[in-house]
Amino acid sequence: MHAGPHVVLRARGLGKRYGGVAALAGVDLELRAGEVHAIVGENGAGKSTLLRILGGVHAPDAGTLELAEGADGPVPVELGGVRAALGAGIALVHQELNLAENLDVAGAIFLGREPARLGVMDRARMRREAAEWMRLVGLDASPDAECGALPIAQRQLVEVARALACQARVLVLDEPTSSLSERETVRLLGILRDLRATGVAIAFVSHHLDEVIDVADRVTVLRDGRTVAHAARGTFDRPALERWMVGRDVARRGARRTREDAPVRLRAHGVRGAHRGGHAVTLEVRAGEVVGIAGLVGAGRTELLEAIAGVAHRGGTVELDGEPLRGDTVRRVRRGVCLVPEDRARNGLLPADAVSTNVSLAWVGRGGARIDRAGERGMVTRVIDRLRVRPADPARRVHSLSGGNQQKTVLGRWTAIEPRVLLLDEPTRGVDVGARAEIHDEVRRLADAGTAVLFASSELEEVLLLADRVVVMHEGRIAGELTAGEATEESIMHLATGGTHAGSRGATA
Amino acid sequence: MSALRKNAGILCVLVAVCAAAAIFGDNFLTGYNLTNLTQRSALFGILALGAGLVIATGGIDLSIGSVVCLAGIATPWLLVERGWSPWTAVPTVLAGCAGIGLAHGLLVTRLRLQPFLVTLCGLLLYRGIARWMTGDQSQGFQGEFGALRDVALARFDVPGLAGYRLPATVIPLAMLAVAMAFALHRTVWGRWLLATGRNEAAARYSGVPTARLVTLAYVACSTLAGFGGMLFIFDIGSAQPSDFGNFYELYAIAAAVLGGCSLRGGEVSVTGILLGAATLQVLRTAIILVGLSSQLEFAVIGAVLLVGVAADELVRRWAERRRNRAARGG
């Protein structure tokens, strides 16, 4: 029983469905005392769901979760909530830090478990003990410092200290380095490595394969809600991880046109969006060209599209057919630069209104002050036909449509005004396979009519299916560019996870 | 048809309140009372139309009563105390009110302050200015400017209705209501204003000039409040800066909400607003005619408004549940 490393947590066959979608469909995970364990996978592979289950936020629909009891082997547990998970010794450090910003560091570390004497908080003891935990995690700050005033890297360490102070046996970090600078990242990884000596099992999710290779003792790879590989240090390298993460055959489209003779329709030069890195991005899209932006969550794709669309523009120049493009969305939409936003419910739809109102929202601005109602009806009918919105009822309220038909409604708004530049952010997120093909067809049709299309997608399959050319982003920069011929899941993933450009040019790494 | 269905609720309430007042109170169905009711409904209807526009954007205007006061006090003050001609005084007051609305709109859209706060400050500010400007003295026309006051005081005989005389204020109300209904439902600006109220972000992403539309709604609201304030003072002849127009914003907002305007924005019915304004005025009269203490007036209106808001919330939740069920089903 005690031979080999001590298993602290063991998950077998975890499954979880949201509505009709299986987020997890058989995940196995084993965390051992004193190890750093990396959990990797593409966007949507199920990492977040797994973490939520470990943290007690959600209960799994299938599978078992076992936790070690003292020195004995793992026994099955059910985590009936976040507090239960904490009580069982599993502490989750979220990607979005949820520290009470107005508390001082000592107060945050002991929040909810303040040492007290006769009901009066024992501040001196709190400060003393907090200082010890802080030393353990290498947090160089005063226990009296206000959390809100600390840089993100230090706030993260406060969370780690808090987790350890809770006597956590399993520490789970969700993308702990996603908001850190390179130096802070190196420091945090060093601290995680040192924490192994305390006997805590440390699991972390990361999109940065270099970090994983750097610190992980063992790796679990998820794909499509399943565990596809377990590997110990020395038995995995970057190509292996990339292959496991991607590892499926993708239906490739046939030969693709290059549009080198077409005029440049959209030119973004040194554009900065709201991305925290604030890097300047330069790219061109020709008339009739479909360019895909690949990259992991947080790579700056949305920010780039929103900067070009005029939603959040923080510098640089955008040119449309050689003329500078300025101002907010009002002026840019008038010139035919249109964005299908990532979050259609929040930024795209008028959910309580009819399909026709949604589709004609921009179209009505093209006519006179008085709405041409007959023209509107005809246009809406044509758009519904062309995009196959189902049910084909212009009066139907949008919130009663399926995700795919809602997305067609948002796209139809731009179809109606024949855009010169069409920007799409996750064009088929939450859309079923059939609707997805129809949306792709419409994007193609618009491109064939001369629209310059720039889209961002987290799904490599979609990027490979739709794009004539692929731009890969990593941490706010363009990491590389691939022609349709060069682009493969491996070559994109290589660039997206911080691989060097040179390696990608020779097709696969 | 759909307009009738949408306003069926408030129409039933209005008919019920009228019936109750006619059955349990004396003198409800007299020409004199009905003429008065029409006059008051028309005046408050003008305020409520403005309130409805702002509510349609998802905002609120609490300063309506104080703008009524400022405009209503400033008009006789300029004419009598300052000796201005009506041709300069009236446009000046209206322009001033439009300026107030512009300030509200810019504070809401550019500085992104909450409409509630901006107009709450306005409520205090304009009342204070009106009292200070006039030395807190009652302002009136002192028997002059009869031709001007006839805008509000003129009455027309209606053939076949003995004793009932149609107030002239119905004319501007009807014109404003028709113009607003046309603008809201037939023009691009109206379509976009409602879209802004429904989902500001989605409208902005679609190239709708949301900031300009919201600002315009505040300008229209304050201008209508100023116009209404003038008609009120033409009607009553003189008023005290300290209490003239007190709580009128609440009658206006209550009328709009009762008339089907969702405080969440994006929904407005001109017919509903007019019915709502009339309902509140009938309620006020009915309280007295039925013999309840007039001190209960605010309590009754408060209760009616509360029920309206609660109904709005319940309907929304019900629609959401249905939406979720539909989403799960499909």
Side-chain angles (χ1 to χ4, degrees), chain B residues 1 12 28 47-48 56 73 89 98 113 137 143 151 181 186 193 198 211 213-214 242 257 262 283 291-292 294:
Chain B
M1 185 60 205
C12 292
F28 182 78
L47 306 185
I73 293 294
L113 299 183
Q137 294 304 302
V151 174
R186 291 283 192 275
L193 185 87
R198 284 269 205 234
L213 287 162
V214 170
S242 56
V257 170
S262 164
L283 257 178
L292 289 172
S294 67

Side-chain angles (χ1 to χ4, degrees), chain A residues 27 122 146 188 207 301 322 331 378 431 455 508:
Chain A
V27 166
D122 186 349
E146 204 169 275
L188 178 73
H207 277 142
R301 297 166 303 174
R331 294 173 64 178
V431 167
F455 75 95
T508 356

Side-chain angles (χ1 to χ4, degrees), chain A residues 12-16 23-28 62 222 224-228:
Chain A
R12 280 207 191 111
L14 288 184
K16 177 77 193 171
L24 291 188
V27 166
D28 302 324
L222 302 187
D224 299 331
R226 289 168 212 281
T227 301
V228 292

Side-chain angles (χ1 to χ4, degrees), chain A residues 306 311 329-330 333 345-349 353 360-361 364-365 368-369 371 373 376 399 413-414, chain B residues 182 185-189 191-192 195 198-199 201-209 212 323 326:
Chain A
E306 294 200 333
V311 175
T329 51
V330 180
V333 168
R346 184 192 293 259
N347 297 325
L349 293 171
D353 280 317
S360 67
L361 189 61
V364 291
I371 295 172
R373 304 228 287 184
E376 184 186 3
H399 60 66
R413 181 179 302 158
W414 300 135
Chain B
F182 179 81
H185 302 300
R186 291 283 192 275
T187 70
V188 178
W189 292 86
R191 182 69 73 78
W192 280 357
R198 284 269 205 234
N199 186 346
R204 188 159 36 82
Y205 275 67
S206 302
V208 172
R212 210 175 310 163
R323 188 181 329 173

Side-chain angles (χ1 to χ4, degrees), chain B residues 137-187:
Chain B
Q137 294 304 302
S138 168
Q139 300 295 312
F141 295 100
Q142 306 189 340
E144 294 179 62
F145 302 102
L148 188 60
R149 290 184 62 194
D150 268 348
V151 174
L153 286 177
R155 302 281 186 269
F156 306 104
D157 288 320
V158 182
L161 286 177
Y164 181 77
R165 310 191 70 216
L166 189 68
T169 44
V170 166
I171 298 168
L173 176 75
M175 283 163 54
L176 286 167
V178 169
M180 187 165 139
F182 179 81
L184 279 175
H185 302 300
R186 291 283 192 275
T187 70

Side-chain angles (χ1 to χ4, degrees), chain A residues 1 27 33 51 78 88 114 165 193 240 307 321 343 346 394 411 425 481:
Chain A
M1 202 72 186
V27 166
L51 260 47
E78 278 193 25
E114 289 83 353
R193 214 181 274 129
D321 294 326
D343 186 341
R346 184 192 293 259
L411 181 57
D425 198 354
E481 218 181 283

Side-chain angles (χ1 to χ4, degrees), chain B residues 110 130 135 175 187 203 211 224 235 262-263 273 299 304 309:
Chain B
R110 302 290 164 195
M175 283 163 54
T187 70
L224 285 175
D235 185 26
S262 164
L263 288 174
I273 290 173
V304 168
V309 172

Side-chain angles (χ1 to χ4, degrees), chain A residues 13-289:
Chain A
L14 288 184
K16 177 77 193 171
R17 300 177 75 83
Y18 295 109
V21 184
L24 291 188
V27 166
D28 302 324
L29 180 71
E30 197 180 88
L31 301 180
R32 299 174 187 167
E35 74 165 353
V36 176
H37 193 114
I39 301 170
V40 299
E42 276 191 273
N43 300 324
K47 305 184 299 276
S48 310
T49 310
L50 174 60
L51 260 47
R52 279 197 284 268
I53 288 174
L54 293 181
V57 181
H58 293 323
D61 304 332
T64 56
L65 202 57
E66 298 171 348
L67 269 174
E69 282 291 339
D72 298 333
V75 295
V77 288
E78 278 193 25
L79 304 175
V82 178
R83 291 195 73 89
L86 256 180
I90 304 177
L92 188 57
V93 177
H94 290 272
Q95 191 176 4
E96 283 90 27
L97 300 175
N98 37 18
L99 285 177
E101 300 207 339
N102 56 345
L103 285 179
D104 59 20
V105 174
I109 290 177
F110 286 105
L111 183 63
R113 299 167 296 106
E114 289 83 353
R117 229 180 305 171
L118 301 171
V120 180
M121 235 184 352
D122 186 349
R123 287 283 315 166
R125 193 175 135 206
M126 234 166 103
R127 216 174 284 132
R128 207 169 50 241
E129 292 185 6
E132 278 168 36
W133 292 116
M134 287 166 70
R135 204 164 35 249
L136 188 64
V137 300
L139 173 56
D140 186 17
S142 157
D144 299 322
E146 204 169 275
C147 289
L150 296 178
I152 291 201
Q154 296 201 340
R155 274 191 265 171
Q156 209 150 29
L157 293 178
V158 175
E159 285 249 26
V160 174
R162 177 173 148 72
L164 295 176
C166 291
Q167 309 295 327
R169 292 177 296 159
V170 179
L171 179 62
V172 187
L173 301 102
D174 190 5
E175 296 195 43
T177 62
S178 63
S179 353
L180 302 188
S181 73
E182 216 164 303
R183 225 174 36 179
E184 291 167 335
T185 301
V186 170
R187 214 174 118 78
L188 178 73
L189 296 178
I191 289 164
L192 293 186
R193 214 181 274 129
D194 295 344
L195 282 176
R196 282 186 293 207
T198 63
V200 174
I202 300 165
F204 78 107
V205 166
S206 180
H207 277 142
H208 301 267
L209 296 186
D210 295 334
E211 293 172 17
V212 172
I213 292 162
D214 204 26
V215 300
D217 298 311
R218 291 193 309 132
V219 180
T220 295
V221 184
L222 302 187
R223 191 198 327 141
D224 299 331
R226 289 168 212 281
T227 301
V228 292
H230 293 288
R233 171 168 287 279
T235 65
F236 60 84
D237 54 7
R238 179 174 258 283
L241 288 175
E242 286 172 1
R243 203 168 46 245
W244 286 326
M245 285 166 69
V246 170
R248 73 190 115 92
D249 290 329
V250 169
R252 299 295 304 263
R253 290 186 329 123
R256 232 164 293 218
R257 278 150 296 189
T258 52
R259 308 258 181 184
E260 274 161 26
D261 47 336
V264 172
R265 173 137 283 175
L266 175 77
R267 176 179 286 126
H269 188 82
V271 165
R272 289 170 202 276
H275 192 263
R276 67 196 140 70
H279 300 295
V281 171
T282 296
L283 58 78
E284 288 180 353
V285 186
R286 294 175 184 275
E289 197 180 21

